[in-house]
Amino acid sequence: MSKKYPIISVTGSSGAGTSTVKATFDQIFRREGITAVSIEGDAFHRFNRAEMRAELAKRYAGGDTTFSHFSYEANELPELGRIFHEFGQSGTGRTRHYVHDASEAERFGVPPGEFTAWAPFDAGADLLFYEGLHGAVVNDEVNLAALADLKIGVVPVINLEWTQKIHRDRAARGYSTEAVTDTILRRMHAYVHCICPQFTETDINFQRVPVVDTSNPFVARWIPTPDESLVVIRFKNPRGIDFPYLTSMISGSWMSRANSIVIPGNKQDLAMQLILTPLIERLVSTARKLR
């Protein structure tokens, strides 16, 4: 970790709501006058779309039915670690974009399923912001958790996560429920071994819990709304967290453990603003003084 060039890492699995969380961070950065370089986990996939299909077919033929984008070996994690390290040392680095669809293809001038060319970060950033699947990985190759200064986990309970993924992939990507189900099954091994362990490394976790029936996510007709959810916020180190202030400011919230607070689902953005703004301000203020 570097005090001169801090790194914030937001980690969550597909459909967990990390994009919404990124919007909250963008609001904080804009309001506080903070310049952030943003990088996406998709940029560090090892294969483009066609290559991934070929790799999947090869592994299936060899009897491996667990390979997915969740897997360590499907991603350039040493490169991500190198960029975290470089930014922490000098405020420099590089990134690229994975182009998902036609609208992004028009924006970036690259066909869907391909990567843009690597490009250096803009100079003068206060911090690096990562959002993706692997921002707090610790394995035999990398220790990304040790390189990030503030690590946030975003994860719904698993039936809600599946419901969100099924609805998103059917609506936005045209997949059938059966096709999404196959993807979920294929990802389960890596979900258990590659995704879940990261939430032990994160400093703060936001976990959305529905309070309506999600017993069978494969036939659910709609995604539970924030008003039909609670969010459990867990602090790895609760020292210095003013829980009485948070519970007084967030209507309907309460402490469930000495390091956890439960809030209404529609208060997540407010809670993130209250909790994260002073932490980010402290990181950036210290960095600016040192630089």
Side-chain angles (χ1 to χ4, degrees), residues 5-188:
Y5 300 101
I7 297 170
I8 298 175
S9 171
V10 174
T11 299
S13 56
S14 182
T18 52
S19 298
T20 303
V21 170
K22 183 181 184 306
T24 300
F25 272 94
D26 287 341
Q27 290 177 27
I28 296 172
F29 297 154
R30 183 170 55 251
R31 187 180 64 237
E32 303 301 323
I34 294 169
T35 303
V37 171
S38 294
I39 60 176
E40 303 157 352
D42 289 355
F44 296 89
H45 288 334
R46 182 162 291 167
F47 308 104
N48 64 25
R49 189 171 295 167
E51 291 168 344
M52 186 65 176
R53 286 173 181 159
E55 185 70 16
L56 283 169
K58 184 178 85 172
R59 288 176 179 260
Y60 263 67
D64 180 1
T65 60
T66 66
F67 184 71
S68 74
H69 280 125
F70 284 16
S71 306
Y72 294 146
E73 60 268 31
N75 296 274
E76 300 284 4
L77 298 184
E79 175 65 12
L80 178 59
R82 190 193 67 76
I83 289 169
F84 273 18
H85 184 267
E86 179 182 342
F87 184 87
Q89 293 294 312
S90 62
T92 59
R94 66 175 190 164
T95 192
R96 62 182 179 179
H97 296 281
Y98 177 78
V99 178
H100 294 90
D101 51 36
S103 63
E104 291 188 2
E106 185 176 348
R107 176 183 168 195
F108 292 111
V110 173
E114 297 287 341
F115 297 100
T116 64
W118 290 100
F121 294 159
D122 293 335
D126 290 306
L127 58 83
L128 175 63
F129 179 84
Y130 167 92
E131 180 257 312
L133 293 169
H134 298 102
V137 165
V138 178
N139 63 18
D140 293 338
E141 277 194 305
V142 297
N143 187 345
L144 299 179
L147 297 173
D149 300 88
L150 177 60
K151 299 174 288 291
I152 308 297
V154 182
V155 54
V157 293
I158 196 160
N159 277 22
L160 174 58
E161 181 170 334
W162 289 350
T163 300
Q164 291 180 166
K165 177 165 180 57
I166 291 165
H167 279 251
R168 185 195 66 177
D169 284 6
R170 286 191 310 188
R173 300 180 181 176
Y175 296 160
S176 66
T177 300
E178 292 73 21
V180 186
T181 302
D182 286 344
T183 300
I184 289 170
L185 290 172
R186 176 163 46 83
R187 288 178 171 178
M188 281 308 298

Side-chain angles (χ1 to χ4, degrees), residues 1-7 87-91 125-127 149 283-284 286-291:
M1 295 190 292
S2 169
K3 291 184 177 180
K4 283 187 178 181
Y5 300 101
I7 297 170
F87 184 87
Q89 293 294 312
S90 62
D126 290 306
L127 58 83
D149 300 88
L283 284 175
V284 172
T286 300
R288 287 174 174 172
K289 288 175 183 175
L290 293 172
R291 293 200 301 266

